[in-house]
Amino acid sequence: PILQHGGSVIYGSADDIVDYIEATFRDPPLLLEGSAGMDRTCPAVASLCLLQHRSILFHVEKVVKISEELAATKVNSSTISPVKAGLAMKIKKLSSEYLRLVELMQEHAQMEERTMFPVLENADKGLTELVHADHARDLPIMNGIREDLKSVLALQQGSCVHNEALVALATRLKVFQVLLGDHFDEEERDILPLLETVGFGSKQQDAAIESCVIIMEAAHGRLLPYLLQGMPAHEMYQYLRIVQKPFQDP
């Protein structure tokens, strides 16, 4: 690639071009750095995981906001039909958003458990006990919220039970948001930095990224626009750069 900037012409690999851009235009950075002990030297699989965390939290915030708007919208038997129709559409939107989020999160957890955690467990079996426990805790919560959504869709709009169900759903989603944020903070603080310590070589990283793409089939297929939607442009760029690298010709 060739980049011309003012009177300068930069030749080299894509990495050389990115390094020049990073050094010349520092805000915002193209490459992820400075988060919970992560920097540009961390293994690519750790950066990929961190970027997925950010996207997931973006979408969790989105569904929480929709649920809170629904909980604040009170309808009863005298509410006019267009308002009820709008409420029904928003509930269906919440359900659709949540189902996509759950699918992404389940693939993300599988990716961690099948690519990153075994590497750490080879070094010390106790390293991943807490995050495994968090994964086991979160699945029933996610399934419970999904059942709550089914109930909300089935209940009669305007009834007291329906209004109470919307409030309860918003509360459960908010609690889950807090738990998930704590879980991701724990992984980013205590788990991801260890991948560099245990010696993830470049060949291992490429193999791990390739496995991540294969395991997260939906996330890197039909859900890829959804995944990338949760990232600012410079993080989208980095994410795509990471997942494409193992599949490029040497």
Side-chain angles (χ1 to χ4, degrees), residues 18-221:
V18 170
D19 287 341
Y20 175 83
I21 295 172
E22 283 283 276
T24 308
F25 308 101
R26 295 184 175 275
D27 189 21
L30 280 176
L31 300 179
L32 190 65
E33 59 183 349
S35 176
M38 308 294 290
D39 57 36
R40 290 184 59 183
T41 65
C42 73
V45 68
S47 294
L48 177 137
C49 184
L50 180 54
L51 289 166
Q52 288 182 5
H53 284 179
R54 292 185 176 182
S55 177
I56 289 169
L57 290 175
F58 170 88
H59 288 293
V60 170
E61 174 65 27
K62 189 175 179 180
V63 297
V64 166
K65 184 177 180 180
I66 296 172
S67 71
E68 289 176 341
E69 290 172 354
L70 286 167
T73 304
K74 302 301 181 184
V75 299
N76 52 46
S77 57
S78 63
T79 303
I80 60 174
S81 296
V83 174
K84 289 183 177 179
L87 183 66
M89 288 177 63
K90 187 171 280 191
I91 292 172
K92 289 180 180 178
K93 178 184 178 183
L94 174 61
S95 178
S96 174
E97 287 286 332
Y98 183 73
L99 290 176
R100 287 197 293 176
L101 174 62
V102 167
E103 188 172 8
L104 175 60
M105 290 179 61
Q106 288 176 334
E107 285 197 345
H108 172 78
Q110 290 170 10
M111 176 274 292
E112 290 182 331
E113 292 171 359
R114 292 167 60 182
T115 61
M116 296 193 310
F117 293 176
V119 174
L120 297 172
E121 288 162 359
N122 285 338
D124 184 340
K125 288 188 179 295
L127 286 177
T128 61
E129 284 183 2
L130 287 177
V131 286
H132 270 301
D134 286 350
H135 285 187
R137 174 204 66 197
D138 290 346
L139 184 58
I141 295 174
M142 290 190 292
N143 288 337
I145 293 171
R146 182 159 44 193
E147 292 304 311
D148 286 350
L149 272 166
K150 289 180 181 178
S151 297
V152 166
L153 287 165
L155 290 169
Q156 181 182 357
Q157 281 192 41
S159 66
C160 291
V161 176
H162 187 260
N163 291 334
E164 289 170 1
L166 287 174
V167 172
L169 175 62
T171 301
R172 289 191 70 169
L173 280 167
K174 188 66 179 178
V175 170
F176 180 60
Q177 181 185 33
V178 173
L179 290 173
L180 188 65
D182 290 344
H183 169 64
F184 285 171
D185 285 345
E186 179 186 24
E187 284 189 348
E188 293 166 19
R189 182 185 64 246
D190 300 333
I191 300 298
L192 298 187
L194 294 176
L195 291 172
E196 185 177 3
T197 305
V198 298
F200 235 133
S202 59
K203 289 185 178 180
Q204 288 175 299
Q205 288 189 54
D206 285 349
I209 295 297
E210 190 172 345
S211 295
C212 290
V213 173
I214 293 170
I215 292 166
M216 300 187 69
E217 181 180 2
H220 296 105

Side-chain angles (χ1 to χ4, degrees), residues 200-247:
F200 235 133
S202 59
K203 289 185 178 180
Q204 288 175 299
Q205 288 189 54
D206 285 349
I209 295 297
E210 190 172 345
S211 295
C212 290
V213 173
I214 293 170
I215 292 166
M216 300 187 69
E217 181 180 2
H220 296 105
R222 58 186 172 79
L223 289 181
L224 182 60
Y226 177 76
L227 172 64
L228 295 177
Q229 183 188 6
M231 305 176 196
H234 61 286
E235 291 184 359
M236 285 186 205
Y237 168 84
Q238 185 182 4
Y239 190 87
L240 292 173
R241 191 164 173 254
I242 290 170
V243 297
Q244 288 172 355
K245 185 176 181 296
F247 302 95

